[in-house]
Amino acid sequence: MQTPANDNAANPAQRALGTLAENTSDPAALDTLAGSEVLVPVPDDASDEDAAGASLALPVLEQSGGGQVVPVFTSELEMAGLLPFVSRYRLVPLGALAAQWPADDLSLSIDAGSEHRLTLTSDGVRTLLARP
């Protein structure tokens, strides 16, 4: 049996997103996702010091309903698909990002432009992805 080429190209985080698209509570997929590193876009107008500093500024996008979402990505290709104008990013462990997630109504969207995107509320980020 032959595996589709795009399955071979998918990284573990992307495969976990595919699993979660079918079963949102799959514990192995959530663990894989939480243990993965994601690309956090850095605006082109940010200084080099801000882009490489110890603190991380989250990019926040306004949603049509008025909510706010932070987009992160599992690969450069996924990021370029939604934000082609962003040329810099920081690689951050998703579980560590989730452990420090703000308590307000800020959502997280992983691979927002993909068919297997996952968007979580603030509570969902801390509950499902934060790891000690």
Side-chain angles (χ1 to χ4, degrees), residues 106-127:
L106 189 62
S107 297
L108 173 74
S109 187
I110 305 167
D111 286 352
S114 149
E115 69 180 75
H116 296 300
R117 68 186 161 271
L118 176 65
T119 301
L120 298 169
T121 64
S122 185
D123 287 339
V125 171
R126 290 188 305 275
T127 303

Side-chain angles (χ1 to χ4, degrees), residues 21-81:
E22 296 175 17
N23 177 4
T24 58
S25 61
D26 184 292
L30 287 168
D31 285 344
T32 297
L33 197 57
S36 299
E37 291 188 322
V38 292
L39 287 63
V40 178
V42 173
D44 285 337
D45 61 351
S47 71
D48 288 340
E49 289 176 8
D50 290 340
S55 64
L56 177 66
L58 297 175
V60 179
L61 302 177
E62 293 289 328
Q63 294 180 303
S64 59
Q68 295 182 321
V69 63
V70 173
V72 298
F73 302 91
T74 58
S75 71
E76 289 180 348
L77 184 61
E78 289 293 339
M79 186 173 72

